[in-house]
């Protein structure tokens, strides 16, 4: 936080008002840069040699933005120190650096200032500052609880394969990585870049990782609402939309994957019949933002890649560890389309009317997201002559902070890697948040209001 505070002080001296969104953006950037410098050090590599800056920066960005794309295998390239740096970046990136800073304030019993509350609100992607300290405390305790349970379960499972010490290390690492939807793994000693392929038929590993991904991806606001209201009809509209959309995407995605992959001898077709639904469900969950894989993406059919791109684009939920345009954005777009087809002037759901600003934000997020993804894919096509489907998959995976790849990440050149770095940063910090921080001054109502008119659409 010292770097961020110094930046804020410099801006204040120039007479400018510092927005919370600017602090969040600068904070993430400085954390990424610090992580890259640490990963460059000889102590961070398994061979004891320096790591080039682009590789270190790519890894640091991917970890901080909880993406999971890698150019070098996490186990075979990085030492224990380097893996610890990556794990710390994942935790900071998943919770948001202000949540980590708030944890230290709680420990030393320091009063949280009003400005810090504003930054916490922005970091957690909520619009209500009332109760933000209480909510942050619950987020931190909930994170400790879920990651702790996950670490215990995975450690007990991995101990039988890797021994006590290494089993515990892998259990803790994969629990944090799964909860933060990061997709980094330490299972490359058998086969680099294999992710969770060795455990494709293991129910304990599959179910634990899936539960951690879903819990981390539904959003901290939803956690808070579920804690306060135990019945579905008492939940806030945001929570209802998140839960319904998430369930439909998980099971709908698994159904499509089963249809396209059931008899594919390179993917589900090689598994026992009982394990195929579980593998399809895992694929559906991880495609939306997590980055783990039990079956290589390159083994999937083109139809599954198309479904995967759509699931990655949607991603997780607002205020979570996940990326993408978010589940609520999809829900708002679908509800808007439904209202338009019915000829209704208002968008209603569960007895509530959605505000115009919600609809505008949803459309804006979709347009900007799709534009950036296609721009990134074009860069990969231009500089590395990668296939279009692979380029589009890679760019979507980066912007939506998923971390899955068809297998081209390590083969890309410097320009493409820098492009993916930019996409990961934009996808994690948030296009709307970054846009407000960089492009907008003080918001004000228009001084001139023009007459309303109609245009022909469609």
């Amino acid at each position: 936080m010292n770097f961020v505070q110094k930046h804020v002080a410099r801006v204040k001296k120039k007479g400018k008002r510092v927005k919370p969104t600017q602090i969040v953006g600068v904070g993430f950037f400085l954390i990424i840069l610090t992580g890259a410098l640490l990963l460059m050090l000889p102590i961070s590599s398994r061979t004891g040699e320096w790591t080039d800056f682009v590789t270190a920066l790519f890894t640091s960005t991917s970890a901080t933005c909880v993406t999971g794309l890698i150019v070098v295998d996490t186990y075979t390239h990085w030492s224990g120190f380097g893996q610890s740096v990556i794990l710390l970046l994942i935790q900071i990136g998943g919770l948001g650096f202000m949540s980590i800073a708030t944890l230290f304030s709680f420990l030393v019993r320091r009063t949280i200032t009003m400005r810090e509350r504003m930054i916490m609100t922005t970091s957690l992607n909520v619009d209500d500052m009332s109760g933000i300290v209480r909510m942050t405390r619950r987020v931190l305790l909930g994170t400790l609880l879920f990651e702790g349970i996950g670490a215990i379960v995975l450690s007990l499972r991995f101990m039988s394969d890797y021994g006590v010490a290494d089993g515990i290390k892998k259990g803790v690492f994969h629990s944090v990585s799964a909860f933060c939807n990061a997709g980094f793994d330490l299972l490359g000693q058998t086969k680099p870049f294999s992710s969770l392929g060795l455990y494709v038929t293991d129910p304990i590993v599959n179910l634990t990782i899936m539960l951690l991904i879903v819990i981390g991806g539904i959003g901290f606001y939803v956690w808070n609402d579920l804690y306060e209201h135990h019945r579905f009809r008492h939940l806030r509209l945001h929570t209802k939309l998140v839960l319904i959309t998430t369930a439909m995407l998980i099971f709908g995605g698994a159904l499509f994957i089963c249809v396209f992959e059931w008899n594919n001898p390179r993917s589900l077709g090689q598994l026992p019949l009982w394990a195929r639904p579980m593998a399809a469900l895992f694929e559906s969950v991880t495609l939306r933002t997590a980055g783990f894989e039990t079956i290589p993406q390159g083994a999937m059919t083109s139809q599954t890649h198309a479904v995967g791109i759509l699931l990655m684009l949607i991603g997780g939920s607002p205020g979570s560890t996940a990326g993408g345009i978010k589940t609520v954005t999809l829900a708002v777009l679908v509800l808007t389309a439904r209202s338009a087809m019915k000829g209704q002037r208002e968008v209603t759901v569960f007895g509530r009317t959605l505000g115009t600003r919600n609809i505008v934000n949803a459309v804006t997020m979709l347009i900007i997201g799709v534009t950036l993804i296609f721009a990134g894919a074009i860069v990969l096509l231009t500089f590395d002559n990668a296939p279009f489907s692979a380029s589009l998959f890679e760019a979507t995976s980066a912007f939506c902070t998923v971390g899955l790849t068809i297998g081209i990440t390590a083969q890309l050149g410097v320009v493409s890697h820098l492009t993916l770095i930019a996409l990961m940063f934009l996808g994690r910090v948030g296009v709307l948040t970054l846009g407000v921080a960089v492009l907008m001054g003080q918001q004000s109502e228009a001084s001139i209001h023009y007459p309303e008119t109609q245009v022909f659409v469609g």
Side-chain angles (χ1 to χ4, degrees):
M1 280 295 294
N2 290 335
F3 293 109
V4 179
Q5 291 171 345
K6 289 179 181 178
H7 173 79
V8 171
R10 285 197 298 270
V11 176
K12 283 183 176 180
K13 286 181 181 180
K14 296 179 181 179
K16 297 181 180 179
R17 183 183 176 185
V18 183
K19 298 184 189 327
T21 48
Q22 291 174 320
I23 296 176
V24 171
V26 172
F28 265 98
F29 173 77
L30 292 174
I31 289 169
I32 289 170
L33 185 60
T34 302
L37 295 176
L38 289 174
L39 290 176
M40 288 180 64
L41 299 175
I43 193 177
S44 294
S45 68
R46 192 172 289 274
T47 61
E49 300 176 349
W50 288 86
T51 300
D52 66 275
F53 178 69
V54 174
T55 297
L57 180 64
F58 191 99
T59 305
S60 179
T61 304
S62 184
T64 307
C65 298
V66 289
T67 304
L69 285 175
I70 54 175
V71 292
V72 292
D73 182 73
T74 307
Y75 178 85
T76 57
H77 181 84
W78 303 109
S79 65
F81 177 81
Q83 293 165 7
S84 299
V85 171
I86 291 172
L87 184 63
L88 181 60
L89 292 174
I90 290 172
Q91 189 70 88
I92 294 174
L95 288 178
F97 72 92
M98 271 308 300
S99 296
I100 303 298
T102 305
L103 173 61
F104 289 104
S105 296
F106 288 153
L107 293 176
V108 300
R109 300 183 180 277
R110 188 178 69 84
T111 302
I112 309 297
T113 66
M114 183 62 67
R115 184 153 193 80
E116 288 173 334
R117 294 168 192 258
M118 294 172 62
I119 300 172
M120 289 158 60
T121 302
T122 303
S123 181
L124 292 175
N125 196 21
V126 296
D127 58 3
D128 187 4
M129 194 165 60
S130 62
I132 188 62
V133 175
R134 182 173 63 252
M135 177 179 170
T136 302
R137 183 181 290 109
R138 289 175 181 172
V139 167
L140 293 171
L141 291 175
T143 298
L144 179 63
L145 174 65
F146 293 126
E147 289 183 350
I149 294 174
I152 292 172
V153 174
L154 292 175
S155 295
L156 292 173
R157 175 62 188 87
F158 289 144
M159 281 181 191
S160 61
D161 294 335
Y162 305 101
V164 176
D166 202 25
I168 293 175
K169 174 183 176 181
K170 284 178 167 56
V172 172
F173 188 97
H174 290 91
S175 179
V176 174
S177 183
F179 177 82
C180 293
N181 286 211
F184 281 80
D185 69 272
L186 295 181
L187 301 176
Q189 66 260 52
T190 303
K191 182 182 179 181
F193 302 99
S194 61
S195 192
L196 299 176
L198 292 175
Y199 297 93
V200 63
T201 58
D202 190 306
I204 295 177
V205 173
N206 277 259
L207 294 176
T208 303
I209 295 293
M210 280 193 286
L211 284 173
L212 287 170
I213 292 170
V214 172
I215 293 172
I218 61 175
F220 304 130
Y221 185 88
V222 174
W223 286 15
N224 197 58
D225 197 18
L226 289 172
Y227 180 83
E228 295 179 348
H229 306 94
H230 305 297
R231 294 186 179 181
F232 184 82
R233 61 191 179 94
H234 293 156
L235 297 174
R236 294 180 174 89
L237 176 59
H238 172 89
T239 303
K240 292 178 180 178
L241 292 178
V242 166
L243 296 178
I244 292 173
T245 307
T246 298
M248 292 178 65
L249 289 172
I250 290 175
F251 294 105
L255 178 61
F256 277 109
I257 293 168
C258 280
V259 170
F260 296 133
E261 301 293 336
W262 191 264
N263 294 316
N264 181 357
R266 300 178 61 205
S267 58
L268 298 187
Q270 65 179 321
L271 304 177
L273 288 176
W274 67 267
R276 296 181 190 181
M278 182 178 68
L281 191 65
F282 187 93
E283 180 73 7
S284 179
V285 170
T286 193
L287 266 170
R288 288 198 19 252
T289 185
F292 290 105
E293 62 179 15
T294 53
I295 298 174
Q297 298 304 306
M300 302 290 184
T301 63
S302 298
Q303 294 94 323
T304 300
H305 290 160
V307 172
I309 289 173
L310 180 59
L311 290 174
M312 288 192 296
L313 177 63
I314 298 168
S317 301
S320 71
T321 59
I325 65 171
K326 302 298 189 294
T327 53
V328 175
T329 300
L330 173 67
V332 171
L333 292 172
V334 171
L335 291 169
T336 302
R338 185 195 66 174
S339 297
M341 288 187 289
K342 288 184 175 181
Q344 298 173 343
R345 296 181 63 87
E346 295 181 334
V347 181
T348 59
V349 60
F350 290 116
R352 296 289 186 271
T353 299
L354 295 181
T356 303
R357 175 52 55 186
N358 292 134
I359 300 171
V360 170
N361 285 346
V363 173
T364 302
M365 179 64 79
L366 176 64
I367 292 174
I368 294 178
V370 171
T371 301
L372 288 173
I373 288 170
F374 271 89
I378 290 173
V379 171
L380 270 60
L381 283 167
T382 303
F383 287 90
D384 289 283
N385 198 29
F388 175 72
S389 59
S391 298
L392 184 61
F393 193 97
E394 195 85 5
T396 307
S397 180
F399 176 77
C400 300
T401 68
V402 177
L404 292 173
T405 177
I406 298 179
I408 66 172
T409 309
Q411 284 73 46
L412 297 174
V414 173
V415 174
S416 294
H417 282 159
L418 293 176
T419 301
L420 294 177
I421 288 172
L423 288 174
M424 287 188 286
F425 183 81
L426 288 170
R428 181 64 183 112
V429 175
V431 174
L432 290 179
T433 300
L434 195 63
V436 170
V438 176
L439 300 178
M440 296 180 63
Q442 292 186 352
Q443 292 184 343
S444 60
E445 295 293 332
S447 57
I448 301 175
H449 295 274
Y450 296 98
E452 182 177 324
T453 188
Q454 302 294 327
V455 296
F456 298 105
V457 178

